[in-house]
Amino acid sequence: MLDFLPSNITPKYALEIGDEVILDRNSWVVRDVREDRFIFVQKFGSQLAQEFTSANLALHIAKGTMQHIPCRPVHMSSRTTDLAIAEFLASRTAEEHKSAERREALVLAMQQLHREKKLKYTDESIAAAKNEIRALATDFYGRVIDGDTLTPEWHSPRTLRRWLKAYDIGGLTALYDDRRARGFRAPRFTAEVNALLQPIIIGYMSPTQPTKATVWENVKSAFRLENARREAAGEPLLDMPSRETVRQRIDALDPFEVMVHRNGIQAARRAFAPVGQGLDIYRPLQRVEIDELRIDLMTYLKTSGLLNHMTIEEIKALGLHGKKAVRVLVTVAVDVATRCIVGMKMSLEGSSDSALQCVEMIHEDKGIYADAIGAFSPWHMHGKPGVIVTDCAKYNISGRTKQAIAALAGNLEHCPAGEPAMKGTIERIFQILATKLLPRFSGRTFSDVVQKAGNDPQETAALTIEELCAVLVRWVVDIYHRTPHRGLGGETPLDAWNRMVAQYGVTPSADKSARRIAFGKEETRDPQRNGLTVMQIPYHDERLAAYFMHKKKRALRLRWHPNDLGTISVELDGDWVDVKAVPAWAQGLKAAIWEKTLRELSARRRRGEEVSGLIVARAIAEITALHADAMRREGILVETWTEERLRRVEETAIGFADFGDTEAKPANEGDMLAGGYGISLSTAGAHTKADLDVVEHSAEPPLDISETMSAETTPDSFSVPEPSNAHPLRRRSRRSAAEKSGDADDGFTFED
């Protein structure tokens, strides 16, 4: 819109009686003109009169809501409004403008000679002054091309008088003609020809996508057969349309309908859908798009360990049985405002785990993954997203995915199926990945068999999945985030993130408890005297003990997170509470580390080695140190915990360890009121001094198990170890008393 700065001087407007004035789409007619005001009457309706001053009109003119239509003779052209005249002149071609200018030059020359008393407006006088008119018109026209001055073409005196009269009434616009409408444009074919031709032309709109040449051949065949029939029947033959006629008829078809029938409704929508301003995204994590890409690259499975947690049936169902290399699926989350990649997970197939773990990654600082592969740039982009946009894959529209995102006050939107343009930002990133990174490696599967040619991706595969993880993280952090982006006006995604965060900030990520409930694994467990167990790790506190004592309904819903087995969330009477693990070494323990630890401890037990609490803690520390960097490098791999995997881990743990005594009798109410629940809630007597230093963070002294467990509540077979050599692991044994006598130092308490 044009902007004007009004002055403080209001002019007097030259309006005449009979002029039409449109103010805010209301039509008025000038009835009277006075010194500084006008009397208007409504053109339609009640014909009420109203007074307008020049200041009133100036205000409407400044706002652009006034239109003046002068009162002109009835024989004047219908192009009477300023807008109509402007539209008319703008729609004329260059040749039409030149023709009107030549006519105007002749008219101006005649007017000049008439004012000089050298010409009368008669045919004889105009014919006699032909040379003078042409010479003067040449001066007015002034067209010089290649050094030659163009002289307007001469016309008959009658034509010049007609132009002169039209110019006096309507000005330059009256000198334009309608030569553009010349010619007979109606079809020249008979009805019989059109009836035979048109269905063949419409056949171009077919899903088989015939070419124009094919349609032309069909037209020739149809007319030859029809003329052969007519000749045999003695009827007049039909004129065969030309090839150009067929082409023009095809081009005259509705383009949208052609695209719908030939390519489908989705392709037609993408091709013809109007494009406006788009979404107004101005702050980081306001809108996050998530999608997955099957990478055109074969990678080795032999060292990844991805198949270790799958059954033979699951491996066969994925088509991986007997394969040494596969194509992996990468799930990516991108922030639309800054174009930064804020989440990335790799898996063999898409699932709710891949979708949710990618969403959870948005809430995490991913610097540990960048540091693990030696990246030079940070990967610190994280926060709570406002709107998450995904496609309509079944795991993206599942109830689990919707509930997890809604649990963290996020909004989940789904693009219509077959409309990748609705999340064009991430589609563009996939194109960059496919064209700038993947061509650098062998083992590419290519997008089609033509590009693949004679390459065998299975034979040329070189990267393992762990190496591909490192490559993707390094490319994202050090290359993509550092490359100027055209969609950001030449700014890099990293700089855009830092700038927008400094300007708008980001919504803080959800806390651990909320994320555990939203993204954790749900189980149902029956509480026992030693609390709840997950992977044979006991979890207990006072609230859980009170529930065990006073509630008949024992089955409890709980959620645990594979990234931290130190705490679980338990639903007690509709409220979710955090319950910490009894052993201190479980704080911050990852499920994958615990799984490897159990395998190591099981192997030691099979070799006849003793397993004590100290050995468990040392095994966890050693395995964590050994696998920490590898797990960080593989941090973008999707970690799937199926029921079968969890069952195998718990069976392994049961095979050599027993945490707590599930057979002990419950404590009575009197013992509870005396200061204990009948069992050791914090198992203070079952920890070493080092463990107690880790577990006890409060100012209260650790609870002495010997004081909280009375003689009535402690089974005869349960002996309280000394704090100096106690630890959280206890196991039963069928060895004789003589064999048990040498076990005092290993910290275990054995039962007959």
Side-chain angles (χ1 to χ4, degrees):
M1 180 179 178
L2 299 177
D3 294 330
F4 298 97
L5 183 63
S7 64
N8 55 0
I9 300 177
T10 302
K12 179 181 179 180
Y13 296 104
L15 301 182
E16 299 179 0
I17 297 176
D19 288 356
E20 182 180 356
V21 179
I22 301 177
L23 303 175
D24 288 329
R25 300 183 180 180
N26 296 319
S27 295
W28 302 83
V29 177
V30 180
R31 178 62 58 87
D32 191 12
V33 179
R34 300 179 182 178
E35 182 177 357
D36 60 344
R37 62 195 61 199
F38 306 90
I39 305 299
F40 292 172
V41 296
Q42 293 180 345
K43 185 176 181 180
F44 308 102
S46 60
Q47 301 289 321
L48 293 177
Q50 185 171 341
E51 184 180 82
F52 289 87
T53 64
S54 296
N56 298 138
L57 300 182
L59 179 61
H60 283 281
I61 292 175
K63 294 167 56 179
T65 57
M66 174 178 169
Q67 186 176 359
H68 176 219
I69 304 176
C71 178
R72 298 180 180 178
V74 294
H75 59 272
M76 176 58 188
S77 170
S78 60
R79 302 184 293 271
T80 57
T81 65
D82 295 336
L83 178 61
I85 294 174
E87 292 176 348
F88 172 80
L89 294 176
S91 63
R92 301 300 98 179
T93 64
E95 183 58 34
E96 288 177 309
H97 287 307
K98 292 179 182 179
S99 177
E101 290 174 4
R102 289 192 294 266
R103 296 177 182 184
E104 185 184 31
L106 292 172
V107 170
L108 293 176
M110 292 170 59
Q111 291 178 341
Q112 179 68 24
L113 293 176
H114 183 266
R115 287 192 295 269
E116 296 175 358
K117 308 297 184 179
K118 297 179 181 180
L119 179 70
K120 295 181 180 180
Y121 291 150
T122 63
D123 291 349
E124 295 78 7
S125 179
I126 294 174
K130 173 180 177 180
N131 294 332
E132 291 83 354
I133 293 175
R134 294 190 65 183
L136 192 57
T138 301
D139 295 338
F140 288 136
Y141 187 56
R143 293 281 181 176
V144 179
I145 298 179
D146 295 334
D148 297 330
T149 301
L150 298 181
T151 301
E153 182 181 356
W154 179 254
H155 294 270
S156 68
R158 183 178 179 182
T159 300
L160 294 178
R161 286 193 297 108
R162 178 167 54 85
W163 290 349
L164 178 64
K165 183 178 180 180
Y167 188 80
D168 289 339
I169 296 175
L172 178 62
T173 58
L175 299 180
Y176 286 84
D177 54 28
D178 292 330
R179 284 184 296 176
R180 59 169 57 194
R182 292 182 302 182
F184 181 73
R185 302 177 184 275
R188 301 176 183 271
F189 297 114
T190 63
E192 292 85 354
V193 173
N194 285 327
L196 182 60
L197 175 62
Q198 197 61 24
I200 305 176
I201 298 297
I202 298 231
Y204 180 76
M205 298 189 300
S206 171
T208 58
Q209 300 184 5
T211 63
K212 293 180 180 180
T214 302
V215 175
W216 165 237
E217 293 295 332
N218 295 340
V219 170
K220 291 192 297 182
S221 299
F223 274 84
R224 286 170 182 169
L225 292 175
E226 178 63 19
N227 285 335
R229 186 193 65 78
R230 285 173 171 266
E231 184 177 5
E235 299 176 0
L237 302 182
L238 299 178
D239 294 332
M240 181 180 295
S242 66
R243 183 187 182 95
E244 180 63 16
T245 299
V246 173
R247 186 191 66 80
Q248 292 180 0
R249 289 288 186 96
I250 293 176
D251 291 342
L253 295 174
D254 186 282
F256 182 77
E257 292 187 11
V258 171
M259 181 70 74
V260 169
H261 289 88
R262 289 173 65 91
N263 304 96
I265 184 64
Q266 300 296 342
R269 286 175 178 172
R270 289 193 295 268
F272 293 95
V275 178
Q277 178 182 356
L279 299 173
D280 185 17
I281 307 299
Y282 59 90
R283 60 180 177 84
L285 297 182
Q286 180 180 353
R287 176 186 172 95
V288 176
E289 295 178 358
I290 298 180
D291 202 355
E292 55 274 339
L293 171 69
R294 180 72 65 180
I295 292 184
D296 293 335
L297 193 68
M298 284 290 184
T299 53
Y300 284 118
L301 282 169
K302 61 182 181 180
T303 61
S304 64
L306 285 177
L307 304 184
N308 295 342
H309 313 301
M310 297 183 183
T311 62
I312 297 298
E313 291 74 15
E314 292 174 338
I315 294 175
K316 290 181 178 180
L318 293 176
L320 304 177
H321 186 64
K323 289 188 177 181
K324 66 175 183 179
V326 296
R327 292 173 59 190
V328 296
L329 189 77
V330 176
T331 305
V332 179
V334 60
D335 174 40
V336 175
T338 64
R339 306 302 198 275
C340 285
I341 294 178
V342 293
M344 184 166 58
K345 283 292 181 178
M346 184 186 299
S347 59
L348 297 178
E349 292 294 336
S351 64
S352 296
D353 288 327
S354 61
L356 290 179
Q357 290 182 32
C358 187
V359 172
E360 185 178 9
M361 201 173 183
I362 302 174
H363 294 259
E364 300 174 348
D365 188 328
K366 294 160 281 291
I368 57 173
Y369 308 130
D371 294 340
I373 53 96
F376 295 102
S377 303
W379 199 6
H380 58 289
M381 302 84 177
H382 71 285
K384 182 185 293 185
V387 177
I388 296 177
V389 183
T390 67
D391 56 19
C392 292
K394 60 181 181 180
Y395 42 83
N396 288 331
I397 62 176
S398 65
R400 180 188 175 194
T401 302
K402 293 180 179 179
Q403 294 167 12
I405 295 177
L408 300 182
N411 296 320
L412 179 62
E413 295 181 359
H414 300 289
C415 295
E419 294 290 346
M422 299 296 289
K423 43 182 174 47
T425 302
I426 195 167
E427 296 292 342
R428 177 58 179 168
I429 289 179
F430 286 159
Q431 183 179 3
I432 295 174
L433 177 68
T435 56
K436 294 188 177 181
L437 176 64
L438 298 184
R440 299 177 180 272
F441 304 104
S442 60
R444 290 187 64 201
T445 57
F446 300 93
S447 58
D448 54 60
V449 294
V450 177
Q451 295 182 3
K452 180 180 177 182
N455 294 319
D456 187 357
Q458 288 280 349
E459 297 297 330
T460 58
L463 290 179
T464 64
I465 288 186
E466 293 87 345
E467 293 169 340
L468 180 59
C469 289
V471 166
L472 288 177
V473 173
R474 188 67 179 270
W475 177 80
V476 168
V477 175
D478 281 343
I479 298 179
Y480 172 73
H481 283 175
R482 290 284 191 177
T483 302
H485 200 290
R486 185 173 59 182
L488 298 173
E491 191 177 20
T492 67
L494 178 60
D495 292 339
W497 175 273
N498 293 334
R499 174 179 57 82
M500 292 187 184
V501 168
Q503 183 176 2
Y504 300 105
V506 293
T507 305
S509 302
D511 57 25
K512 283 188 176 182
S513 298
R515 287 159 57 185
R516 185 187 308 111
I517 295 175
F519 302 110
K521 310 299 178 182
E522 182 171 340
E523 301 289 342
T524 301
R525 293 286 191 271
D526 291 330
Q528 303 295 333
R529 288 193 49 175
N530 63 340
L532 297 169
T533 59
V534 177
M535 297 189 186
Q536 293 305 113
I537 298 178
Y539 298 84
H540 215 342
D541 68 358
E542 288 80 1
R543 294 165 296 183
L544 191 58
Y547 182 90
F548 176 78
M549 295 180 65
H550 300 291
K551 299 292 183 180
K552 291 183 179 181
K553 182 181 178 181
R554 296 298 175 83
L556 293 176
R557 296 170 58 200
L558 62 88
R559 295 194 180 184
W560 59 276
H561 201 289
N563 286 343
D564 186 3
L565 297 180
T567 305
I568 63 174
S569 296
V570 182
E571 185 182 19
L572 297 178
D573 296 328
D575 295 329
W576 288 88
V577 298
D578 293 345
V579 180
K580 289 187 177 182
V582 173
W585 43 258
Q587 299 302 317
L589 178 63
K590 295 181 180 294
I593 292 292
W594 181 233
E595 183 181 27
K596 297 182 189 318
T597 302
L598 291 176
R599 291 179 183 175
E600 174 65 21
L601 297 177
S602 180
R604 293 187 181 185
R605 182 175 178 274
R606 287 194 299 269
R607 294 193 299 265
E609 300 178 9
E610 292 296 335
V611 179
S612 65
L614 182 58
I615 291 177
V616 172
R618 287 177 177 175
I620 292 175
E622 292 173 359
I623 293 176
T624 300
L626 180 63
H627 295 277
D629 290 339
M631 293 184 69
R632 292 190 186 102
R633 288 193 299 270
E634 304 170 15
I636 65 173
L637 289 178
V638 173
E639 187 175 358
T640 303
W641 282 89
T642 62
E643 294 182 1
E644 176 65 20
R645 182 180 180 184
L646 181 61
R647 182 186 61 80
R648 291 198 301 266
V649 172
E650 292 191 335
E651 287 179 353
T652 303
I654 292 175
F656 72 93
D658 179 20
F659 299 93
D661 186 1
T662 60
E663 301 296 329
K665 298 179 181 179
N668 55 46
E669 186 176 357
D671 291 332
M672 182 190 69
L673 296 177
Y677 289 97
I679 59 174
S680 174
L681 300 181
S682 61
T683 61
H687 287 290
T688 63
K689 186 178 184 304
D691 291 334
L692 288 174
D693 294 338
V694 178
V695 175
E696 297 297 329
H697 299 288
S698 63
E700 298 180 1
L703 188 64
D704 188 354
I705 191 172
S706 61
E707 295 178 358
T708 60
M709 299 186 66
S710 63
E712 296 181 359
T713 59
T714 305
D716 297 336
S717 58
F718 186 91
S719 61
V720 180
E722 294 296 328
S724 61
N725 59 4
H727 60 84
L729 288 176
R730 297 170 55 241
R731 69 180 184 184
R732 297 183 179 91
S733 175
R734 297 183 180 275
R735 296 181 298 170
S736 64
E739 293 174 331
K740 299 177 186 177
S741 60
D743 294 330
D745 295 333
D746 66 0
F748 281 91
T749 301
F750 296 95
E751 298 182 8
D752 292 328

